[in-house]
Amino acid sequence: MIPTVMPTYARTAHDFVRGEGAWLIDGSGRRHLDFGAGIAVNCLGHAHPKLVAALTEQAGKLWHTSNLYRAPWQEALSARLCELTFADTMFFTNSGAEAMECAFKTARKHQHHIGQTERVEIVVFEGNFHGRTFSGISASGTEKMAKGFGPLLPGFKRVPIDLDAVRAAVGEKTAAICIEPVLGEGGIIPIERDFLRALREIADENGALLIFDEIQCGVGRTGRLFAHEWAGVTPDIMAIAKGIGGGFPIGACLATEKAAAGMVAGSHGSTYGGNPLGCAVALAVLEEITAPGFLDHVNRMAGKLRQKLGALVDAHPKVFAATRGEGLMLGLKCVAPNTDVVQAGYDAGILTVPAADNIVRVMPPLNVTEDEIDEALSRLDQAASALDAA
């Protein structure tokens, strides 16, 4: 008999009932270190008091009015994000997939708005992940996500992460080039900074827009507010989600005024996107992450975690091959099957997340402490030792 919840996930038996910072507590009272952070969502851990206060205060005032009316909460959040980024405007969504949908539509609409109606193609990259909508799975094109859902949407031209391939793919039909500055689902692969700079140049030279998908790597995860800041380039459009809500479902499609010129009344919409609750929490998240010293803490903890993961790899060559990543978005390249490593971690009381290329993602809350990193490494060592002995 089919479960009452559609079985689209291979769920574990964990029944978490409570969260405290970097910890999750299951129904039996056992404590687990959460170094997956809900796949980079819980950027401030679980039940952060400032996020709880922001949500509780807003819940007592107003939950929803629809987007038919002025939304001061959206105006406050958008003003802050514009102040912090390249963006002049943005559309709020419920998720990252919806933010990417808006990004693709904004790019095509921009080209149509300026009379370049033949520019409908989006150049995307092998290994990238842009969500599970039809446009998302059409952009990724992997069999794992697309099998059985065809025909996929046309208009996506997929290339390897290679500048010659990009130059060959970009042409008179190109509306935009779209990339994740750090591949998440694709295996924690940071894109070279020179590569991102070159994409900016190629887009400008060819009349195309540049889209960055920072749904997983954004909002402080790499040690800068957004990952592309390390490269010193800005996109025309950027999708964010996950960390911006700290666990509350909210995303956004940020854009320059020029890129968003075609997005006029009636061109796009969302019933719940940018509701008062999500915007209140996102503002609290931004206040914490942009507080003096917060990103310095992220970078210090990232250095310690990476160093300790390196020692773990050296100690268990039958289990691990290498570490990679940026900031607190790290990956362990595994020799053993990554699903076995994740399961052994479960047994040792630490949560991580598998990704492509036999990677285990290690992504703790950004406010993780050094003691918690030490405890995590002890538990990962216990997990690896169990696999060594198997």
Side-chain angles (χ1 to χ4, degrees):
M1 181 180 294
I2 191 168
T4 53
V5 176
M6 192 177 287
T8 59
Y9 282 90
R11 300 175 193 268
T12 72
H14 292 106
D15 60 341
F16 299 117
V17 296
R18 193 159 51 88
E20 297 172 355
W23 295 87
L24 279 169
I25 297 93
D26 66 24
S28 71
R30 188 186 182 204
R31 295 171 68 85
H32 307 251
L33 253 181
D34 185 4
F35 269 45
I39 314 181
V41 166
N42 299 100
C43 60
L44 298 176
H46 298 279
H48 189 283
K50 290 190 178 178
L51 303 195
V52 172
L55 181 61
T56 304
E57 180 182 355
Q58 185 58 50
K61 294 178 179 175
L62 184 66
W63 287 29
H64 178 76
T65 62
S66 95
N67 280 310
L68 294 174
Y69 313 107
R70 188 181 167 198
W73 46 90
Q74 291 186 15
E75 293 167 6
L77 179 57
S78 61
R80 184 63 177 137
L81 280 168
C82 285
E83 181 179 75
L84 293 166
T85 69
F86 70 95
D88 302 309
T89 188
M90 64 201 63
F91 181 88
F92 290 110
T93 67
N94 305 292
S95 68
E98 289 173 87
M100 281 309 305
E101 184 77 12
C102 181
F104 293 143
K105 288 179 68 176
T106 300
R108 280 191 173 180
K109 194 70 170 180
H110 162 80
Q111 300 293 359
H112 188 276
H113 179 74
I114 63 173
Q116 300 290 320
T117 54
E118 75 285 2
R119 288 186 176 272
V120 297
E121 289 183 350
I122 312 285
V123 174
V124 293
F125 291 87
E126 294 173 358
N128 273 228
F129 175 83
H130 302 299
R132 302 275 188 166
T133 61
F134 256 108
S135 66
I137 64 173
S138 299
S140 86
T142 62
E143 182 179 4
K144 176 184 174 184
M145 283 188 285
K147 186 178 181 181
F149 294 115
L152 300 181
L153 299 177
F156 293 98
K157 186 176 280 189
R158 226 168 358 269
V159 297
I161 300 173
D162 176 88
L163 286 177
D164 289 338
V166 177
R167 291 191 180 98
V170 172
E172 295 179 350
K173 292 185 178 180
T174 305
I177 303 168
C178 176
I179 193 167
E180 291 176 273
V182 182
L183 272 63
E185 297 284 335
I188 308 294
I189 301 173
I191 303 300
E192 295 289 336
R193 294 169 189 175
D194 284 347
F195 191 91
L196 295 179
R197 295 184 193 112
L199 290 186
R200 178 71 274 175
E201 292 174 4
I202 293 170
D204 291 342
E205 290 167 358
N206 289 276
L209 298 180
L210 182 61
I211 303 171
F212 286 160
D213 178 342
E214 292 232 14
I215 291 165
Q216 189 165 152
C217 63
V219 195
R221 178 55 57 183
T222 67
R224 300 289 290 267
L225 185 57
F226 291 103
H228 67 263
E229 294 175 14
W230 290 110
V233 297
T234 57
D236 302 292
I237 302 169
M238 178 171 71
I240 67 172
K242 291 188 182 289
I244 189 63
F248 196 93
I250 182 172
C253 173
L254 285 65
T256 63
E257 182 174 8
K258 175 185 172 184
M263 299 300 280
V264 297
S267 60
H268 198 50
S270 171
T271 296
Y272 298 108
N275 73 35
L277 301 170
C279 289
V281 175
L283 271 170
V285 168
L286 280 179
E287 184 178 342
E288 283 299 294
I289 289 182
T290 59
F294 185 91
L295 291 177
D296 294 335
H297 170 83
V298 173
N299 286 304
R300 280 198 309 276
M301 292 304 105
K304 292 180 186 299
L305 179 56
R306 187 158 192 158
Q307 181 183 34
K308 290 174 185 292
L309 288 176
L312 181 77
V313 169
D314 291 342
H316 299 282
K318 293 181 182 177
V319 180
F320 302 116
T323 63
R324 66 190 188 207
E326 189 115 45
L328 287 175
M329 187 175 181
L330 296 172
L332 284 165
K333 174 71 174 173
C334 297
V335 177
N338 60 350
T339 50
D340 290 355
V341 175
V342 171
Q343 180 58 54
Y346 291 158
D347 296 340
I350 181 165
L351 309 178
T352 56
V353 182
D357 196 30
N358 208 31
I359 286 286
V360 167
R361 280 175 277 187
V362 182
M363 301 186 294
L366 303 182
N367 55 356
V368 66
T369 67
E370 191 165 356
D371 286 346
E372 288 165 341
I373 287 175
D374 288 341
E375 181 62 31
L377 266 293
S378 172
R379 295 184 182 216
L380 285 171
D381 182 67
Q382 182 183 336
S385 296
L387 291 172
D388 276 333

